């Protein structure tokens, strides 16, 4: 059973302690099994009881450094080594629930940053259909793309297919200038950015030219059977029930699908109802489907993103109470 504890930090020391965009905090999470997050002037730790004493000692050392200077990776490594934690050993440990290696190429690595993210990767490996919901910045799309690229390069699948509903244009793209790729590119920028981080530009272009990697609006999936492919449906909260059912029934032999969505950011017209909550309810008991929920504790963007998400969640809760 995990233990959860809080370490209070002098707010004046936080910039020196955490590093630019929480770099030191991210490196610490890669080294330990616990999930360590910063909220205001508090460091919240959730992990195995045996790590509590070590992590408290690490922060004691880091606070000492931060009172004099900015904590760097060397300072963190020294503090970890003093309590018997090897950053490299833990970083590469397959048994560690944090810092699990998902994808690696030419020194570029994608690692999980939390227990929930590690569970997400496990689910993608074990199940043919995975639903993952959570707020922005929790790695829903990025980890799915990393897993897809790894499996594709390992010849586990013949194709990668990335799908998104193009809500703002009503999936009626004809009036936009350019060919299909130019019409939908703005909606798929996050997917392209993730692909470019994991594949060299020439490799990505060649795969797309050979139709080994396909990026397409959800509307273009109708009537197709997707076989021997790793398929990602992103922003699924912006699908209707009929659209999501249509997508799920496209899956063919040897195909794995990952459906991601954020139930707090539904952009459908007011009269349209999201199909994602319905699918989560209807498919819950089907064997072979996994459901993963990520939360603000899994956010890997700027530290402010966690606080922004929590502020909106508190406001929503207050509105419901009223």
């Amino acid at each position: 059973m995990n233990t959860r504890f809080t370490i209070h930090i002098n707010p004046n020391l936080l910039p020196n302690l955490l590093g630019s965009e929480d770099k030191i905090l991210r490196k610490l999470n890669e080294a330990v099994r616990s999930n360590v997050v910063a909220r205001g002037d508090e460091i919240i730790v959730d992990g195995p009881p045996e790590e509590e004493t070590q992590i408290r000692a690490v922060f004691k050392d880091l606070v000492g450094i931060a009172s004099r200077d900015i904590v760097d990776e060397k300072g963190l490594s020294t503090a970890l080594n003093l309590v018997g934690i090897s950053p490299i050993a833990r970083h590469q440990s397959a048994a560690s629930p944090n810092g699990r290696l998902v994808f690696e190429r030419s020194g570029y690595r994608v690692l999980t940053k939390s227990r929930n993210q590690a569970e997400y990767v496990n689910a993608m490996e074990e199940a043919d259909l995975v639903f993952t919901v959570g707020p922005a910045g929790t790695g829903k799309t990025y980890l799915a793309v990393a897993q897809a690229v790894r499996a594709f390069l390992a010849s586990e699948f013949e194709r990668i297919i990335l799908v998104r509903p193009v809500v703002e244009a009503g999936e009626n793209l004809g009036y936009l200038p350019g060919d299909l790729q130019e019409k939908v590119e703005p909606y798929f920028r996050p997917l392209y950015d993730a692909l470019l981080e994991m594949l060299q530009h020439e490799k990505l272009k060649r795969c797309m030219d050979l139709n080994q990697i396909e990026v397409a609006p959800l509307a273009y999936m109708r009537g197709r059977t997707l076989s021997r492919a790793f398929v990602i449906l992103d922003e699924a909260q912006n699908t209707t029930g009929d659209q999501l059912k249509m997508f799920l029934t496209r899956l063919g032999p040897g195909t794995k699908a990952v459906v991601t969505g954020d139930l707090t950011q539904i952009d459908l017209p007011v009269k349209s109802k999201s199909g994602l909550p319905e699918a989560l309810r209807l498919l819950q008991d089907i064997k072979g489907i996994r459901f993963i929920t990520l939360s603000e504790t899994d956010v890997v963007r700027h530290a402010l993103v966690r606080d922004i998400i929590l502020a909106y969640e508190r406001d929503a809760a207050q509105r419901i109470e009223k």
Side-chain angles (χ1 to χ4, degrees):
M1 182 178 295
N2 284 354
T3 184
R4 184 182 176 92
F5 61 93
T6 300
I7 300 173
H8 295 275
I9 305 293
N10 183 335
N12 296 326
L13 298 181
L14 283 173
N16 281 0
L17 178 66
L18 301 181
S20 176
E21 296 188 356
D22 287 0
K23 180 179 180 180
I24 296 302
L25 193 62
R26 294 200 306 273
K27 292 295 182 182
L28 175 61
N29 271 296
E30 292 176 8
V32 300
R33 290 175 290 162
S34 298
N35 187 35
V36 187
V37 298
R39 291 183 187 165
D41 60 352
E42 294 181 340
I43 302 296
I44 300 172
V45 184
D46 184 3
E50 60 269 22
E51 278 195 345
E52 179 174 355
T53 300
Q54 292 174 309
I55 291 176
R56 287 186 183 276
V58 167
F59 272 100
K60 184 177 180 179
D61 284 346
L62 296 183
V63 166
I65 297 173
S67 65
R68 306 184 303 272
D69 201 353
I70 297 174
V71 177
D72 57 16
E73 291 186 42
K74 183 178 179 181
L76 174 62
S77 294
T78 300
L80 289 169
N81 286 325
L82 285 173
V83 298
I85 297 176
S86 171
I88 296 177
R90 291 292 180 88
H91 178 78
Q92 295 178 338
S93 172
S96 174
N98 293 344
R100 174 177 174 178
L101 183 63
V102 183
F103 174 81
E104 183 174 24
R105 177 190 59 80
S106 302
Y108 177 79
R109 286 181 161 189
V110 177
L111 296 128
T112 59
K113 305 294 185 181
S114 70
R115 268 184 175 72
N116 289 334
Q117 288 189 351
E119 184 181 353
Y120 178 25
V121 174
N122 288 339
M124 287 190 285
E125 290 185 349
E126 297 167 1
D128 287 336
L129 176 57
V130 179
F131 285 85
T132 304
V133 295
T138 51
K140 302 184 302 294
T141 302
Y142 193 75
L143 289 174
V145 172
Q147 184 72 2
V149 172
R150 183 207 61 76
F152 170 72
L153 294 178
S155 300
E156 296 174 19
F157 300 92
E158 295 178 3
R159 305 178 63 202
I160 297 174
I161 303 176
L162 308 177
V163 183
R164 265 192 172 193
V166 185
V167 173
E168 293 82 354
E171 296 199 3
N172 180 14
L173 307 175
Y175 70 90
L176 293 175
D179 59 19
L180 173 62
Q181 202 66 37
E182 293 170 328
K183 293 174 193 289
V184 303
E185 184 171 352
Y187 303 102
F188 290 93
R189 195 70 257 168
L191 298 175
Y192 283 122
D193 289 344
L195 285 169
L196 283 170
E197 286 194 26
M198 299 166 208
L199 293 170
Q200 294 180 345
H201 184 273
E202 295 77 12
K203 172 75 171 177
L204 176 59
K205 185 178 185 303
R206 184 164 63 252
C207 288
M208 296 189 73
D209 289 343
L210 294 172
N211 209 30
Q212 294 173 325
I213 296 179
E214 178 184 356
V215 179
L218 178 60
Y220 286 74
M221 295 296 107
R222 292 190 182 278
R224 298 179 59 181
T225 299
L226 309 176
S227 302
R228 296 175 295 282
F230 194 117
V231 188
I232 300 171
L233 172 58
D234 197 31
E235 301 287 352
Q237 76 275 5
N238 289 327
T239 64
T240 64
D242 287 342
Q243 287 174 326
L244 188 48
K245 178 183 176 183
M246 177 273 292
F247 170 80
L248 295 173
T249 55
R250 300 306 93 202
L251 306 183
T255 286
K256 184 185 295 287
V258 178
V259 179
T260 72
D262 180 355
L263 295 174
T264 68
Q265 293 189 356
I266 297 174
D267 299 317
L268 290 168
V270 176
K271 293 183 179 180
S272 298
K273 187 176 179 181
S274 173
L276 183 56
E278 179 185 42
L280 296 175
R281 176 178 58 84
L282 292 176
L283 307 180
Q284 190 68 46
D285 296 326
I286 296 180
K287 187 177 181 180
I289 302 178
R290 292 283 300 275
F291 300 87
I292 302 295
T293 300
L294 302 175
S295 69
E296 76 280 353
T297 62
D298 302 300
V299 169
V300 293
R301 292 182 182 172
H302 192 286
L304 285 175
V305 174
R306 286 190 293 269
D307 296 330
I308 291 169
I309 292 170
L310 288 170
Y312 275 95
E313 288 181 349
R314 284 194 296 268
D315 180 68
Q318 291 171 358
R319 290 173 184 271
I320 292 173
E321 290 174 0
K322 294 179 181 179

